[in-house]
Amino acid sequence: MSGLLAGKRLLVTGVITDASIAFSVAKLAQENGAQVVLTGYGRLSLVERIAKRLPEPAPVIELDVTNAEHLAGLADKVREHVDGLDGVVHSIGFAPQSCLGGGFLDAPWSDVATALQVSTYSYTSLAMASLPLMSPGGAVVGLTFDATKAWPVYDWMGVAKAGLESASRYLALHLGKQGIRSNLVAAGPLRTIAAKSIPGFDQFEDAWTQRAPLGWNLTDQEPAARACLALLSDWFPATTGEIVHVDGGYHAIGA
């Protein structure tokens, strides 16, 4: 089998609909020679149905990243389908409504803690749960939204993404001696399920479509997915702790 990821075994989280970045990653990965295992949380039957839309139907493992038992058993569950992993894709994020849409000053710690556990800490916990299956040359890739700025309505999710970006750098530091890379892709705004949960998300849409130097397609997940595939491949063997922007160039221009 030929392709950028020929022979690679990947674990992809966060496939909810075929409009998700994770679905595009899984689809392109298969088309480029990879074996893919998916994880799902909650409505597993929905994820299993979406998995059948891939070029090759992929197995789905239940994974709640806040559940210690699920994390402890992840490696054994994955071994039922593949004998190891060459890459892990973290596409997981959640914040209660109080943490978004202008509620930054009023969100209670219990809700903020949930956002940080699911959106930030899970990057490291997922990597560590997958580590027994990985060997030198492996890669962990996550998805962020540029956390160098304070965005209107993004609030505590922006803080969670800042933590994610820092966590990726620390993961790069601590897993580097084992030959495992950690990198993130900072995608521009896309009309995914996650985006629809953010009140006032249209502010992002208007800004990007009008000002991104290369233009920006709000419904095209493939550019971000392609960047994920590149970072999972053998073409970036000495790159870790990096954030690759896939946002039409918006991050590079002044306000």
Side-chain angles (χ1 to χ4, degrees):
M1 186 176 290
S2 62
L4 184 67
L5 299 179
K8 299 288 188 185
R9 301 152 300 176
L10 305 181
L11 181 68
V12 179
T13 67
V15 172
I16 301 174
T17 71
D18 53 10
S20 63
I21 298 174
F23 179 87
S24 190
V25 170
K27 177 177 180 291
L28 289 174
Q30 286 187 342
E31 292 173 351
N32 280 273
Q35 286 181 273
V36 173
V37 177
L38 305 179
T39 72
Y41 169 65
R43 296 174 61 187
L44 273 191
S45 60
L46 174 61
V47 181
E48 290 167 347
R49 190 158 62 247
I50 296 299
K52 293 176 181 177
R53 299 180 186 176
L54 292 168
E56 182 72 26
V60 178
I61 295 171
E62 183 178 15
L63 177 64
D64 174 358
V65 290
T66 68
N67 185 316
E69 291 183 2
H70 282 199
L71 290 165
L74 180 63
D76 288 338
K77 291 288 187 181
V78 172
R79 284 193 188 98
E80 295 176 8
H81 305 286
V82 292
D83 58 1
L85 288 175
D86 302 291
V88 176
V89 178
H90 180 279
S91 182
I92 298 170
F94 171 76
Q97 281 298 303
S98 67
C99 296
L100 299 163
F104 183 82
L105 299 178
D106 302 314
W109 166 243
S110 58
D111 286 352
V112 172
T114 296
L116 294 176
Q117 182 177 15
V118 176
S119 308
T120 306
Y121 183 74
S122 68
Y123 186 73
T124 300
S125 58
L126 176 65
M128 295 311 296
S130 304
L131 192 59
L133 298 167
M134 301 184 75
S135 56
V140 183
V141 175
L143 290 159
T144 187
F145 187 80
D146 188 358
T148 62
K149 302 173 182 65
W151 299 102
V153 310
Y154 208 46
D155 294 333
W156 283 102
M157 183 57 84
V159 176
K161 290 298 187 183
L164 173 66
E165 293 177 8
S166 184
S168 178
R169 290 189 287 269
Y170 276 97
L171 205 62
L173 171 66
H174 289 286
L175 294 187
K177 59 177 65 77
Q178 299 181 48
I180 295 173
R181 297 164 285 135
S182 172
N183 294 289
L184 300 177
V185 171
L190 293 163
R191 288 177 179 164
T192 62
I193 290 291
K196 291 177 181 178
S197 69
I198 302 174
F201 183 76
D202 57 333
Q203 295 180 48
F204 294 117
E205 296 183 346
D206 294 342
W208 250 264
T209 54
Q210 293 172 18
R211 296 178 55 221
L214 292 176
W216 186 248
N217 186 336
L218 295 160
T219 60
D220 185 5
Q221 293 78 25
E222 189 166 312
R226 283 174 176 260
C228 292
L229 261 63
L231 291 169
L232 290 165
S233 77
D234 295 330
W235 283 94
F236 282 89
T239 298
T240 194
E242 186 60 86
I243 301 174
V244 177
H245 288 82
V246 183
D247 64 353
Y250 185 95
H251 74 283
I253 62 174

